[in-house]
Amino acid sequence: MEIKRFLGIRNTTSPERLKVGEMQAGTNVDTDNTGRLLSRDGTTLVVDAAGAHSLYANHVLAVMAVGTSLRMRRSATVWDEIATLTTSDPISYETVLDTVYFSNGTDKGRIVRGEVREWGITPPVSQPQATATTGSLPPGNYMYALTFVRSDGHESGTGLAGSIDLPNGGGIAFSDIEISTNPEINGKIVYISGSNGEVLFKALELPNTQPQATYSGSGLDMAIPLITQFAGPPPAGSIVRSYNGLMYVATGNVVYYSEPYAMELFHRDTDYLQFTAPVAMFEGVNDGVYVATVDSPGDEQESSAGTWFLSGPGPGKFQSVKMFDYGAIPGSSVLTQAAFFETQPQAEAEGQQGRPAVIWVTRHGVVLARDGGNIQNLTEAVYSFPSAASAAGMVRQHRGYVNYVVTLQGVGSANNKYVGG
């Protein structure tokens, strides 16, 4: 018998019923795009680090964790510690411009020019004390609030405004103005409303170290409104992703999202998406987001798990369509290029540029999703995957073809594997 094209492993039928080219097992072999069987390349140990996990690389850096030590690559064999985390749980990363945002569900931060810094600014604990003094404000009630300003210009949120009555007009003397302990904070701003007004405007710009100040103007110089009130830093989460100018952080059943183009300002009381089970995947394409929850291994009723396509530009405009009654294995998803998974005529007809695809693993098989809710399970008919607690996936171009490589942890029983008898 001549086998001209290998079709990969199949475990959903008995060995004697396999088609020509289908394999019962394949150890240390690769199948290229033409069906040719190749010996798999060996491995080279680069870093001997027990407990290594959460490897990530982009156009500016490569990082990984070893236990609770977050390390950055300096050379092929040298990885310097840049932070000590409080847990060794898997880390989710996302790059926006040249900043890498990360979280493991407990710790969170951003990597800027090789240094780990706080992600978001903790707002002032309370508003300053205010007393009446001489000045040119007209009579009335005045609200006021304090924000912190980072050296890169990012401004914190602030809580409920304070207020003071000036029955005869005058000025406002502020004392006990909080000093931030964040080393990146080099300034702060005091906002004041108009007389009996509800909108606060920038009144005083101060160095972070200054504990008191006075506003004695008329209010006519106040023109810039406060836009960060009640916003704060993001929560820690198991998934960190950006889509269409917003940052999304998944923690449990909830996905919180930031202000537009403000990756560090979140209104956690109001701005979130709620799902039926813990979120296992959140990946954006050009015209929407694919979201999948965690499957419960052995739950054949699929009571709470699911996969959705949220089409549209963002919250408030998303249109939700449930694609599958099963979810995803956490950590398996990879955002990649649609052209990797198309024939040459398909790719040429649809164009090579700007067409993302997401690939991930479920206990029902490998799923591929493109723009427009175009989604398919690639392997369910031929290969039964086991349930798993977590995974790590990547897409690589190697030896002239493309691989989706995934490892599974906490593996359970296969979903629909052939059993003789």
Side-chain angles (χ1 to χ4, degrees):
M1 178 184 294
E2 181 182 10
I3 300 177
K4 296 183 178 181
R5 179 181 175 86
F6 287 90
L7 304 176
I9 299 172
R10 181 167 188 164
N11 68 355
T12 56
T13 189
S14 60
E16 68 272 12
R17 303 293 293 178
L18 293 177
K19 298 178 182 178
V20 175
E22 292 180 338
M23 299 184 293
Q24 183 180 3
T27 303
N28 293 326
V29 293
D30 285 329
T31 306
D32 70 10
N33 295 339
T34 68
R36 181 186 179 189
L37 204 62
L38 303 169
S39 296
R40 184 172 296 167
D41 285 346
T43 60
T44 300
L45 182 64
V46 176
V47 179
D48 187 6
H53 63 95
S54 303
L55 176 66
Y56 176 80
N58 63 12
H59 59 286
V60 294
L61 56 77
V63 291
M64 69 172 177
V66 179
T68 59
S69 173
L70 183 61
R71 303 182 184 184
M72 188 173 76
R73 182 181 185 270
R74 303 296 184 184
S75 68
T77 58
V78 177
W79 293 71
D80 291 341
E81 183 175 271
I82 56 176
T84 300
L85 309 176
T86 58
T87 176
S88 59
D89 290 338
I91 303 170
S92 177
Y93 306 89
E94 180 72 325
T95 299
V96 178
L97 300 177
D98 287 339
T99 298
V100 177
Y101 299 88
F102 69 89
S103 183
N104 60 12
T106 303
D107 306 287
K108 62 183 179 181
R110 55 194 175 94
I111 305 173
V112 182
R113 293 185 291 277
E115 295 183 356
V116 173
R117 301 176 181 177
E118 290 187 26
W119 180 7
I121 302 173
T122 301
V125 174
S126 59
Q127 305 298 353
Q129 296 296 314
T131 56
T133 188
T134 58
S136 303
L137 289 171
N141 178 268
Y142 290 85
M143 295 189 297
Y144 61 89
L146 174 71
T147 64
F148 294 132
V149 182
R150 206 163 61 198
S151 56
D152 62 0
H154 178 70
E155 188 174 358
S156 77
T158 188
L160 185 68
S163 66
I164 182 173
D165 287 316
L166 299 179
N168 300 315
I172 305 174
F174 297 99
S175 60
D176 296 331
I177 304 176
E178 187 176 336
I179 297 173
S180 174
T181 58
N182 183 338
E184 291 189 85
I185 301 301
N186 65 354
K188 49 196 177 186
I189 299 173
V190 176
Y191 290 84
I192 303 174
S193 72
S195 175
N196 300 316
E198 297 182 354
V199 179
L200 283 71
F201 297 90
K202 181 188 291 187
L204 297 168
E205 292 188 71
L206 311 169
N208 180 45
T209 55
Q210 186 168 327
Q212 55 190 24
T214 298
Y215 181 82
S216 57
S218 65
L220 297 178
D221 57 334
M222 301 189 304
I224 301 175
L226 171 64
I227 60 174
T228 64
Q229 191 167 22
F230 304 121
S238 58
I239 299 175
V240 175
R241 291 292 184 268
S242 63
Y243 170 69
N244 205 25
L246 276 68
M247 185 67 81
Y248 294 81
V249 178
T251 174
N253 296 29
V254 180
V255 178
Y256 298 93
Y257 55 88
S258 72
E259 286 288 291
Y261 306 103
M263 307 297 176
E264 304 187 51
L265 288 173
F266 287 68
H267 288 88
R268 293 167 59 179
D269 290 341
T270 57
D271 294 352
Y272 59 87
L273 306 172
Q274 182 87 38
F275 294 90
T276 58
V279 176
M281 183 194 75
F282 191 97
E283 299 284 2
V285 290
N286 282 334
D287 58 355
V289 176
Y290 289 95
V291 185
T293 56
V294 176
D295 265 333
S296 299
D299 177 13
E300 297 304 328
Q301 295 182 356
E302 313 288 4
S303 57
S304 61
T307 300
W308 293 265
F309 181 57
L310 309 182
S311 64
K317 297 183 178 179
F318 278 142
Q319 298 293 318
S320 177
V321 178
K322 193 169 188 179
M323 313 303 290
F324 295 133
D325 287 329
Y326 52 86
I329 298 176
S332 66
S333 64
V334 180
L335 181 63
T336 184
Q337 300 179 42
F340 285 163
F341 303 95
E342 296 168 345
T343 64
Q344 186 173 354
Q346 284 178 314
E348 291 176 350
E350 297 184 25
Q352 296 278 357
Q353 302 300 320
R355 292 188 302 108
V358 184
I359 189 167
W360 69 91
V361 173
T362 77
R363 62 190 177 96
H364 289 266
V366 176
V367 174
L368 178 69
R370 303 177 178 88
D371 288 345
N374 182 354
I375 188 171
Q376 62 185 126
N377 191 313
L378 301 176
T379 63
E380 185 171 20
V382 297
Y383 191 83
S384 176
F385 274 83
S387 60
S390 62
M394 71 173 184
V395 170
R396 68 170 185 169
Q397 293 176 283
H398 180 63
R399 301 169 74 179
Y401 53 94
V402 175
N403 293 129
Y404 170 55
V405 182
V406 63
T407 61
L408 304 179
Q409 292 183 317
V411 175
S413 60
N415 181 61
N416 188 37
K417 184 178 180 179
Y418 170 78
V419 177

